[in-house]
Amino acid sequence: MCSKKIRKLSYSLAINEALHQMMEKDSSVLLIGQGVKSPWYVGNTARGLLDRFGPERVIDTPVSENAITGVAVGAAIVGMRPIVVHPRMDFMLYALDPIINEAANWHYMFGGKINVPVVFWGIINRGGEQAAQHSQALHTFFAHVPGLKVVMPSTPYDAKGLMISAIQDDNPVVFVDDRWLYRLEDDVPEELYSVPIGKGIVRREGKDITLIAISYMAVEAVKAADFLKQEQGISVEVIDLRTIKPFDKELIFESVRKTGRVILADVGWKMCGFMAEVAATLVEEMFDCLKSPIKRIALPNVPAPASRALEKHYYLNAEKIIKAVLELLKGEEVMYGVQSALL
Amino acid sequence: MYSKNFLISLYKTMLKIRLCEESLVEPILKGKIKTPCHLYTGEEAIATGVCAALDKNDYIFGNHRSHGHYIAKGGNLKQLIAEIYCKETGCSRGRGGSMHVVAPEVGFLGAAPIVAGTISLAVGAALASKIRGDKRVSVSFFGDGATGEGVFYESLNFAALKKLPIIFACENNFYSTHMPLRECRFKDNIYESGIPFGVPSYKIDGNNVLEVYEATKKAVEMCRIGEGPVLLEFVTYRLRGHVGPDDNIQGLHTDIRPKEEVEEWKKKDPLEIFKTFLLKKQVLTKDEIDKMKFEIESEVKEAHLFAQKSPYPNEKELCKYVFKEN
């Protein structure tokens, strides 16, 4: 095997590289959706694809989310591997029928005779006073549906590897990324590789508390863990789930057996959110290992406000995670020497 | 103009659909069949004429009323009936029921009852054909009710924009479940829906199998040479209830269609029209038709016996087929 070349690449260009490599490798792969020609819509993720693969396989579309998503599903039913992009996830709601009623059910409903290898790619855009309809993280809705897989990479390495896995998967996969991650740079191998769907990863090892996060919150969780270790001597184990459907129970269980304390950090709303599922699973299957109540960090049950004065309270970050960790450990102040000034 | 064999095959398909649908009436009423069955009786000329103009490799997508599409495209009858009994031997292994029949081996890629839900899927199959250059044509079968959904217009626009080989086949039976077309739509002009998008659109007598065939044949030719899409509105009428044999039989009295209207359409029964034509043209004799009917009835009976004897899906396999294993 040749030597693996690794260099720094941004999250958006890592996705771009995955698309280039998969379209090169497999002529059945196509990209369809609004604004695939325009960085204004999809950042750098589609850079160079149109020139290289032509308008038959890189298809910019009218504003018709429902039909276009159905078109991708239909093409997948006959053996293509389409990726349909929704540059603002909010507009993906127009496409729930082809995603949920059709694609997710097709394989089961027809007794396994037809499979639907399609990627539904939804980009979370938030902040910047974009208000309620340009800000929604809707991953939980899709995770609820049998027949869909849902991935949410937080690093450039995973963004490339999970996009490749999503395209290669024989089933419908919802790929959810976040514009706040697009400029993040990290080591990314040049060759085509995949990150397995359903496998989480330990980002920081720790023994006092397990912090389970997804998507952008995994980035903030790592910052929080590093701060807590340095400033407070608190050892936080950070798990980035990477895939929320199916999610890596074994990895979580292993960590909770060690720490007995759990904080869950979501990028979506708290009410019936994805982390409620993780919490319920832990209570059902790991209750004996829990030393304290599970704590959730999630968006308040409020639509996203426009004003930056409200936004900064609405969205979550490392500071809020640190606060939550300290609150959870408050009862054990002596043990950790927590500085109450931070609370 | 037409070969004798071709005309006979059209009639045979129509008769097969009719006898299959009518054979379901008794088991439905007796509760042996529970899955909601939307019978195709009265609309046989459309599926038959359209599919006769297609190749085996061409694609079709159906809806809640798709037994006829399945048979006309060449699906296996035993597997169809077994699916209606929700048995493991059914075409969807008992996971789909009457509204979800499929026969990918003959290009029938699936039926689904979300009104208009499969229109865009058929457009997607056509897009794939265009990319691959395989000259396949896709047909989307949908009812008049589906023309109330926005995705129909989105699909027309996109298919026209990309010049896709797709035939939008609207089966207008004048009722969206129980609501008459005049209460759903400002004007009875479904066939004009394609015109604003530059899609050639035609209104055809859906109870005349030869007219259906001719119109579809032309549409298929246009699609094959890259002149698609085409919209065909087939005017027809269902002679049974929206779901089940007769909405009134079950005591619901939900069929608000005037009796006189139903009687008028019975006179335009596509099977009777075509039979009269064939007898008049001496393509078939009455005896030959009786013989054909007897043979199909035996085949249908055999399919019911096969279905009844077949096992239900194994409970241990409840969770099978959610995902395809890579």
Side-chain angles (χ1 to χ4, degrees):
Chain A
M1 184 139 179
C2 58
S3 63
K4 290 178 183 177
K5 259 184 109 176
I6 297 176
R7 75 285 186 235
K8 296 273 179 208
L9 205 61
S10 73
Y11 186 100
S12 57
L13 286 175
I15 292 173
N16 181 247
E17 192 164 88
L19 298 174
H20 271 279
Q21 290 178 349
M22 284 307 294
M23 291 189 79
E24 178 67 39
K25 187 188 170 204
D26 182 349
S27 63
S28 65
V29 177
L30 62 98
L31 179 66
I32 183 167
Q34 272 173 64
V36 296
K37 284 196 282 213
S38 158
W40 187 85
Y41 279 95
V42 292
N44 285 323
T45 56
R47 186 195 275 183
L49 292 171
L50 184 65
D51 287 343
R52 188 164 168 201
F53 300 104
E56 284 225 313
R57 286 177 66 200
V58 182
I59 307 166
D60 208 341
T61 68
V63 184
S64 320
E65 289 83 0
N66 186 347
I68 298 310
T69 309
V71 163
V73 174
I77 283 171
V78 300
M80 300 297 282
R81 290 188 177 271
I83 304 141
V84 55
V85 61
H86 295 276
R88 281 190 168 77
M89 201 181 188
D90 315 70
F91 293 79
M92 211 168 162
L93 294 176
Y94 272 121
L96 290 187
D97 176 60
I99 298 172
I100 294 175
N101 276 323
E102 321 299 344
N105 288 331
W106 219 257
H107 189 257
Y108 189 87
M109 202 159 73
F110 296 115
K113 285 196 176 168
I114 300 180
N115 63 300
V116 191
V118 60
V119 180
F120 302 113
W121 173 12
I123 306 175
I124 302 170
N125 283 261
R126 59 212 163 94
E129 301 194 331
Q130 292 183 85
Q133 295 185 345
H134 275 41
S135 306
Q136 297 163 110
L138 303 170
H139 50 287
T140 289
F141 290 88
F142 299 108
H144 182 63
V145 180
L148 294 178
K149 299 181 182 181
V150 183
V151 301
M152 300 183 82
S154 76
T155 65
Y157 180 91
D158 286 350
K160 180 176 171 184
L162 277 170
M163 178 56 92
I164 289 168
S165 289
I167 297 168
Q168 287 176 334
D169 202 285
D170 284 338
N171 301 285
V173 179
V174 180
F175 181 98
V176 182
D177 59 0
D178 186 326
R179 283 289 276 263
W180 283 5
L181 294 165
Y182 273 23
R183 286 186 185 180
L184 194 74
E185 286 200 349
D186 205 355
D187 294 342
V188 177
E190 271 184 12
E191 83 271 9
L192 193 150
Y193 63 91
S194 59
V195 168
I197 291 175
K199 292 284 175 208
I201 190 167
V202 176
R203 296 277 180 218
R204 290 287 184 274
E205 292 204 9
K207 57 182 172 40
D208 298 331
I209 192 161
T210 301
L211 173 51
I212 302 167
I214 52 171
S215 189
Y216 185 76
M217 287 309 279
V219 175
E220 295 294 301
V222 168
K223 283 187 211 162
D226 290 347
F227 175 86
L228 286 163
K229 186 157 201 173
Q230 272 176 18
E231 304 294 322
Q232 305 279 339
I234 299 171
S235 167
V236 179
E237 179 140 301
V238 178
I239 292 179
D240 177 358
L241 279 177
R242 306 195 289 191
T243 298
I244 66 164
K245 172 82 176 291
F247 69 92
D248 195 343
K249 288 207 286 187
E250 281 316 307
L251 188 72
I252 295 174
F253 289 177
E254 203 180 308
S255 177
V256 173
R257 269 183 216 114
K258 189 167 58 176
T259 65
R261 298 180 190 84
V262 182
I263 291 193
L264 305 167
D266 200 349
V267 289
W269 297 294
K270 190 168 191 177
M271 176 76 186
C272 296
F274 167 70
M275 286 305 179
E277 176 63 29
V278 178
T281 304
L282 287 169
V283 170
E284 275 178 343
E285 300 185 45
M286 293 293 287
F287 191 70
D288 292 346
C289 295
L290 294 172
K291 293 179 193 161
S292 61
I294 295 169
K295 199 168 180 63
R296 279 183 288 161
I297 306 166
L299 295 182
N301 298 316
V302 173
S307 170
R308 76 194 71 174
L310 297 174
E311 263 184 350
K312 72 176 177 196
H313 294 287
Y314 182 74
Y315 291 113
L316 306 163
N317 54 23
E319 199 184 322
K320 286 174 184 164
I321 295 173
I322 292 164
K323 208 175 153 197
V325 170
L326 295 177
E327 271 171 11
L328 189 79
L329 297 174
K330 205 174 175 185
E332 299 168 49
E333 269 184 59
V334 181
M335 194 174 159
Y336 294 103
V338 171
Q339 292 171 8
S340 36
L342 259 165
L343 298 180
Chain B
M1 181 175 170
Y2 299 107
S3 79
K4 190 176 166 179
N5 280 347
F6 176 71
L7 292 171
I8 292 173
S9 75
L10 288 181
Y11 184 68
K12 203 172 169 182
T13 301
M14 288 173 73
L15 188 61
K16 194 169 170 180
I17 297 171
R18 172 67 58 90
L19 294 175
C20 168
E21 295 299 72
E22 293 301 303
S23 77
L24 298 171
V25 170
E26 199 192 309
I28 291 170
L29 294 177
K30 285 189 171 163
K32 287 182 183 165
I33 291 171
K34 292 273 189 202
T35 189
C37 286
H38 303 74
L39 302 176
Y40 200 61
T41 301
E43 304 187 11
E44 295 89 347
I46 303 170
T48 303
V50 169
C51 292
L54 299 173
D55 289 344
K56 187 178 165 185
N57 279 340
D58 291 325
Y59 298 133
I60 68 166
F61 283 82
N63 51 35
H64 52 285
R65 198 182 304 285
S66 269
H67 301 167
H69 308 139
Y70 177 101
I71 292 172
K73 194 71 173 69
N76 178 286
L77 188 70
K78 279 184 180 168
Q79 288 185 30
L80 173 68
I81 302 287
E83 189 56 38
I84 294 167
Y85 280 86
C86 294
K87 297 297 185 75
E88 178 67 26
T89 52
C91 60
S92 304
R93 296 191 171 101
R95 271 73 168 179
S98 159
M99 296 188 288
H100 297 292
V101 291
V102 72
E105 66 282 3
V106 289
F108 187 7
L109 299 176
I114 299 292
V115 172
T118 56
I119 296 176
S120 57
L121 272 52
V123 175
L127 175 72
S129 300
K130 193 181 175 194
I131 293 171
R132 291 164 166 166
D134 62 16
K135 299 280 174 201
R136 278 179 160 118
V137 173
S138 293
V139 176
S140 167
F141 287 105
F142 54 92
D144 45 296
T147 65
E149 298 281 4
V151 72
F152 170 52
Y153 303 93
E154 291 182 31
S155 296
L156 278 169
N157 181 53
F158 185 76
L161 202 60
K162 301 291 171 191
K163 285 209 154 295
L164 300 182
I166 176 162
I167 297 168
F168 295 92
C170 178
E171 299 176 294
N172 178 6
N173 62 22
F174 296 101
Y175 287 86
S176 173
T177 58
H178 303 101
M179 182 175 257
L181 185 63
R182 64 180 177 276
E183 290 177 29
C184 309
R185 207 179 158 89
F186 179 67
K187 248 177 119 180
D188 175 9
N189 63 343
I190 288 172
Y191 78 100
E192 289 177 339
S193 302
I195 292 167
F197 301 99
V199 174
S201 304
Y202 306 94
K203 189 171 192 164
I204 291 121
D205 177 357
N207 279 18
N208 184 324
V209 69
L210 291 174
E211 279 186 34
V212 173
Y213 170 73
E214 281 304 324
T216 311
K217 204 175 129 203
K218 268 183 216 144
V220 168
E221 281 162 9
M222 287 170 73
C223 285
R224 296 237 201 265
I225 58 165
E227 291 297 315
V230 179
L231 169 65
L232 302 176
E233 178 193 349
F234 300 110
V235 179
T236 188
Y237 199 79
R238 60 176 157 75
L239 296 175
R240 292 286 187 178
H242 160 65
V243 54
D246 180 345
D247 295 320
N248 294 333
I249 287 174
Q250 287 133 330
L252 297 171
H253 301 289
T254 48
D255 194 343
I256 44 103
R257 301 183 303 175
K259 251 192 179 143
E260 311 79 66
E261 186 184 283
V262 180
E263 290 309 315
E264 270 310 298
W265 278 96
K266 274 185 183 164
K267 290 179 202 158
K268 299 182 216 167
D269 182 335
L271 216 67
E272 289 303 315
I273 292 171
F274 197 44
K275 186 166 94 177
T276 309
F277 171 84
L278 295 176
L279 289 170
K280 195 175 148 199
K281 296 276 176 187
Q282 296 177 324
V283 177
L284 282 168
T285 64
K286 205 176 164 302
D287 283 352
E288 283 169 328
I289 288 174
D290 287 344
K291 191 169 167 259
M292 187 191 282
K293 195 177 168 199
F294 177 77
E295 281 168 6
I296 296 171
E297 270 172 345
S298 308
E299 197 190 338
V300 170
K301 211 175 204 173
E302 206 183 311
H304 275 269
L305 286 174
F306 168 78
Q308 286 161 1
K309 280 188 202 157
S310 291
Y312 280 108
N314 189 322
E315 61 183 47
K316 285 182 188 141
E317 295 190 337
L318 174 68
C319 300
K320 202 174 168 182
Y321 307 124
V322 177
F323 291 113
K324 187 186 172 201
E325 305 291 324
N326 268 32

